Amino acid sequence: MITLENVSKTFTSQGLTVPAVDEVSLKVEQGELVVLIGPSGSGKTTTMRMINRLETPTTGRITIDGRDIRDMDVVELRRGIGYVIQQGGLFPHFTVAENVAVVPRLLGWPRQKRLRRAHELLALVGLPGESFADRFPRELSGGQQQRVGVARALAADPPIILMDEPFGAVDPITRKQLQRELRRIQAEVRKTIVFVTHDISEAFLLGDRIVLMLDGRVVQNGAPADLLRRPSDPFVTTFIGEDRGLRALQYTLLSEIATPAAAGVAADDLILPGAISVLQAARELARHGSAAGDGFWVGDDAGRAASYLTYQQFAVVLGETIGTGAATPDEGAPDALSV
């Protein structure tokens, strides 16, 4: 859906040329939610803003569905891309329904069609139209304004949505609610979303893929589990922080660590789905206790026993994940299993 090829952006200030984005290449697939994350000044927001030409690349090429965005009318481009910013960016003199229907109005939709669409989307984001459509932004909480901002971005049914730290200005409790709401909405509408944040927990909660940036460059681009289990650079580990071990347990699936069953192991032991995380598996094993025998089976998509993990092998994985170094089968396994 979106391709960036060797894209760079430089700014000139007081005669000095300052690189903001440096030779970034990445692809965002259709229906994927990709999170751009990094410290302040890493280039994540500038990278996102170049997709809808709020910033113009100095060098490189950006395409959407194979079309170079430089060849597209900028108004047409932006009307086909939803955009959500911090604090909603709502028009204070418009009602909630009018705010949601801004782009359909620009596109010439009839009034009744605009209102119908506004009510549909308000219901989708958890703000029933009969209660909220005629309110003004000043009558809403910060979290409600952000929900209206998401509804507005979806109004004209764009294939792409850009989200620039949309939940950064709300309190932690509301932020968690909005994150869960976005996950639910994305499961329903499956838009292609580029999401900028500086919050690593938010990145792991929302992202199908995480692009970690530093000094205008991509340090690592991969699934959450890749950053946790296979960091490409010491900066990745440092940025993720002290919770890396726990997150690795949460995002590593049993199917990733299972091995073919040993000869002679019966398939009548405990079977756990391969699609659950190591953390979920540990909880399940605690529930079953010693009834699981020497180990357990890992099932395939159909629930059939496909591979086998002994407790010893499972403990080694926990030790490698939580410990500072790699545990061996004879070293640290019991302690890792008890963790």
Side-chain angles (χ1 to χ4, degrees):
M1 178 65 77
I2 306 171
T3 302
L4 282 73
E5 301 174 5
N6 303 313
V7 172
S8 296
K9 176 65 179 179
T10 59
F11 294 98
T12 302
S13 176
Q14 298 179 344
L16 297 176
T17 299
V18 180
V21 176
D22 188 8
E23 294 287 318
V24 166
S25 295
L26 64 91
K27 292 185 178 181
V28 182
E29 302 295 340
Q30 184 171 352
E32 190 176 34
L33 196 159
V34 172
V35 175
L36 304 182
I37 190 168
S40 297
S42 61
K44 56 188 184 295
T45 297
T46 302
T47 298
M48 186 200 70
R49 285 167 60 89
M50 286 191 286
I51 294 172
N52 66 350
R53 287 174 59 183
L54 287 175
E55 300 287 354
T56 303
T58 305
T59 59
R61 182 170 179 259
I62 300 175
T63 62
I64 293 178
D65 249 355
R67 296 179 63 190
D68 192 319
I69 63 170
R70 293 173 298 187
D71 299 331
M72 300 172 65
D73 176 79
V74 68
V75 174
E76 175 195 353
L77 172 70
R78 291 174 185 165
R79 286 181 181 174
I81 298 176
Y83 193 43
V84 186
I85 61 174
Q86 283 194 41
Q87 300 177 324
L90 305 180
F91 296 110
H93 55 291
F94 281 8
T95 65
V96 165
E98 288 169 340
N99 266 286
V100 173
V102 163
V103 175
R105 182 182 179 184
L106 293 172
L107 294 173
W109 290 21
R111 182 175 182 276
Q112 287 304 314
K113 182 179 179 181
R114 297 199 306 264
L115 288 176
R116 187 166 58 249
R117 179 63 172 164
H119 278 256
E120 289 174 359
L121 291 170
L122 288 172
L124 181 67
V125 299
L127 300 174
E130 58 270 19
S131 300
F132 291 92
D134 294 328
R135 295 192 191 183
F136 288 89
R138 65 178 179 275
E139 300 173 298
L140 305 180
S141 69
Q144 289 170 339
Q145 290 184 32
Q146 286 302 121
R147 290 173 186 239
V148 175
V150 172
R152 182 173 64 183
L154 292 167
D157 200 22
I160 296 169
I161 297 176
L162 307 180
M163 308 187 80
D164 188 5
E165 302 205 42
F167 309 143
V170 297
D171 63 89
I173 294 175
T174 303
R175 184 175 188 138
K176 287 292 183 186
Q177 293 172 341
L178 290 169
Q179 290 166 349
R180 288 194 292 268
E181 197 71 13
L182 178 60
R183 288 184 64 182
R184 180 189 65 79
I185 292 169
Q186 175 64 352
E188 290 189 31
V189 300
R190 297 308 302 176
K191 297 295 182 181
T192 302
I193 300 177
V194 179
F195 189 106
V196 169
T197 184
H198 65 274
D199 184 334
I200 190 66
S201 297
E202 186 167 73
F204 278 102
L205 178 66
L206 297 176
D208 298 315
R209 193 152 45 87
I210 297 174
V211 178
L212 178 57
M213 299 183 67
L214 177 67
D215 297 332
R217 288 182 169 270
V218 174
V219 179
Q220 187 162 356
N221 174 3
D226 292 332
L227 275 72
L228 292 164
R229 299 189 64 214
R230 293 173 286 276
S232 64
D233 185 277
F235 173 72
V236 179
T237 303
T238 301
F239 190 83
I240 292 173
E242 296 178 355
D243 291 339
R244 176 172 169 260
L246 182 59
R247 287 198 178 103
L249 296 180
Q250 184 178 357
Y251 288 97
T252 300
L253 302 182
L254 282 186
S255 57
E256 294 182 67
I257 62 173
T259 56
V265 178
D268 56 359
D269 291 328
L270 174 68
I271 301 176
L272 294 182
I276 68 172
S277 70
V278 172
L279 183 60
Q280 291 171 301
R283 290 170 178 159
E284 284 296 311
L285 292 174
R287 284 200 315 111
H288 286 87
S290 58
D294 295 330
F296 58 94
W297 285 86
V298 176
D300 58 18
D301 291 341
R304 298 182 295 258
S307 51
Y308 192 80
L309 276 173
T310 66
Y311 281 132
Q312 185 80 344
Q313 292 169 321
F314 189 63
V316 170
V317 172
L318 293 179
E320 290 174 340
T321 302
I322 296 176
T324 55
T328 66
D330 299 320
E331 176 185 308
D335 289 339
L337 184 57
S338 67
V339 169

